[in-house]
Amino acid sequence: DGGITQSPKYLFRKEGQNVTLSCEQNLNHDAMYWYRQDPGQGLRLIYYSQIVNDFQKGDIAEGYSVSREKKESFPLTVTSAQKNPTAFYLCASSMTGTDTQYFGPGTRLTVL
Amino acid sequence: AQSVSQHNHHVILSEAASLELGCNYSYGGTVNLFWYVQYPGQHLQLLLKYFSGDPLVKGIKGFEAEFIKSKFSFNLRKPSVQWSDTAEYFCAVSAPGGYNKLIFGAGTRLAVHP
C-alpha cells in the first residue's frame, strides 16, 4: 500500500528539548517537503529536498533542521531555537518535474 | 514574492446550496494552480489542478474550478454541496522553475449543515 507515513501522530515535548519528526514514503518520489500548518495561516514551507543528500530552506526554516540520507526518509528536527514550535507538521512528496504533492497524515507537536 | 489569497476564512452553507470559494494569486508569469481539501481527521488531498489548456477544470466529488488569467483567479465551485463536503479547502500555486514549491493560501473552512 503506497503512501506517506508520519510518526508519531501526537508529540509532546518540554521547552528546551529537541524533537525529531519522522516522514517515510514508499512512492519512489525524489522530492520531499516539510510544512507547518497553523490555524488561519495555511501551510508554510519549512524545508524541501529534491534529491538524496541535498535540501534547501523554505520560508520558515529558522529553528528547524533536516537530513536526507535515504530517498524514502526525510526527518525533521525541531530544535530548542524554534520560538513557537507548537503546530501541526505535514510532510509531502512529489515526483521529479511535477508540482503535484502527496501529503502524509501529519504530526501534532505540543510544547509544554 | 508569490502569494495566494483566499477571501473567505469561514463559510457556512445548507445542503444543496451552491458553493464558490475565491482564490487570487500574485504572480505575473505562467503558474500551476491547485485546490487541496482536508476532511476532518484525514490527509490533505488533491481536489483538482490546472497546468494548461481548458481553463475550466473538473475535479473529484463534483468540484470544478475556473482559471481566469486576467483576474489572477482560480475559484472553486460546486453546484450543490453535501454534508460530507465539510472540510478545509486550500488553494495553492507553483511556478515552473520554482523547484516544485507550492505556495498555499490561508484556507477556507467550510461547514455544511443538513
Side-chain angles (χ1 to χ4, degrees), chain B residues 71-111:
Chain B
K71 295 184 177 181
F72 299 92
S73 70
F74 190 55
N75 292 354
L76 181 71
R77 299 195 294 247
K78 186 171 184 179
S80 176
V81 295
Q82 302 172 320
W83 175 79
S84 58
D85 293 323
T86 295
E88 190 160 15
Y89 294 81
F90 295 93
C91 182
V93 62
S94 72
Y99 299 102
N100 304 335
K101 287 192 298 180
L102 293 179
I103 307 297
F104 283 85
T108 297
R109 198 173 290 272
L110 171 66

Side-chain angles (χ1 to χ4, degrees), chain A residues 28-48:
Chain A
N28 200 33
H29 287 170
D30 287 306
M32 297 187 75
Y33 311 81
W34 273 106
Y35 293 90
R36 170 182 170 137
Q37 184 179 4
D38 296 284
Q41 296 193 52
L43 280 70
R44 293 180 291 167
L45 182 65
I46 305 172
Y47 267 98
Y48 62 103

Side-chain angles (χ1 to χ4, degrees), chain A residues 5-79:
Chain A
T5 56
Q6 291 185 244
S7 60
K9 187 173 182 180
Y10 298 97
L11 188 57
F12 298 87
R13 78 150 216 223
K14 294 180 181 179
E15 277 192 29
Q17 290 180 335
N18 292 356
V19 63
T20 298
L21 282 57
S22 168
C23 177
E24 304 277 332
Q25 54 98 1
N26 61 5
L27 300 169
N28 200 33
H29 287 170
D30 287 306
M32 297 187 75
Y33 311 81
W34 273 106
Y35 293 90
R36 170 182 170 137
Q37 184 179 4
D38 296 284
Q41 296 193 52
L43 280 70
R44 293 180 291 167
L45 182 65
I46 305 172
Y47 267 98
Y48 62 103
S49 168
Q50 299 293 305
I51 57 172
V52 174
N53 293 322
D54 186 46
F55 48 83
Q56 289 80 38
K57 292 182 179 180
D59 300 318
I60 56 164
E62 186 174 351
Y64 299 98
S65 65
V66 293
S67 62
R68 187 85 188 276
E69 297 177 2
K70 297 187 300 181
K71 186 176 184 178
E72 303 79 25
S73 178
F74 191 41
L76 173 74
T77 297
V78 184
T79 75

Side-chain angles (χ1 to χ4, degrees), chain A residues 54-112:
Chain A
D54 186 46
F55 48 83
Q56 289 80 38
K57 292 182 179 180
D59 300 318
I60 56 164
E62 186 174 351
Y64 299 98
S65 65
V66 293
S67 62
R68 187 85 188 276
E69 297 177 2
K70 297 187 300 181
K71 186 176 184 178
E72 303 79 25
S73 178
F74 191 41
L76 173 74
T77 297
V78 184
T79 75
S80 56
Q82 169 50 234
K83 300 299 180 193
N84 186 21
T86 294
F88 189 53
Y89 291 88
L90 288 167
C91 178
S93 70
S94 69
M95 292 173 59
T96 301
T98 72
D99 294 355
T100 304
Q101 295 181 16
Y102 298 87
F103 286 82
T107 292
R108 189 167 296 279
L109 172 65
T110 302
V111 175
L112 304 172

Side-chain angles (χ1 to χ4, degrees), chain B residues 37-60:
Chain B
V37 60
Q38 192 172 37
Y39 297 104
Q42 294 190 27
H43 297 204
L44 197 69
Q45 58 185 282
L46 182 68
L47 202 54
L48 50 79
K49 61 186 178 184
Y50 172 80
F51 285 4
S52 63
D54 189 343
L56 185 61
V57 180
K58 295 194 183 299
I60 60 172

Side-chain angles (χ1 to χ4, degrees), chain B residues 14-19 61-63 77-82 85 112:
Chain B
S14 298
E15 276 193 319
S18 63
L19 170 71
K61 304 187 181 187
F63 285 90
R77 299 195 294 247
K78 186 171 184 179
S80 176
V81 295
Q82 302 172 320
D85 293 323
V112 180

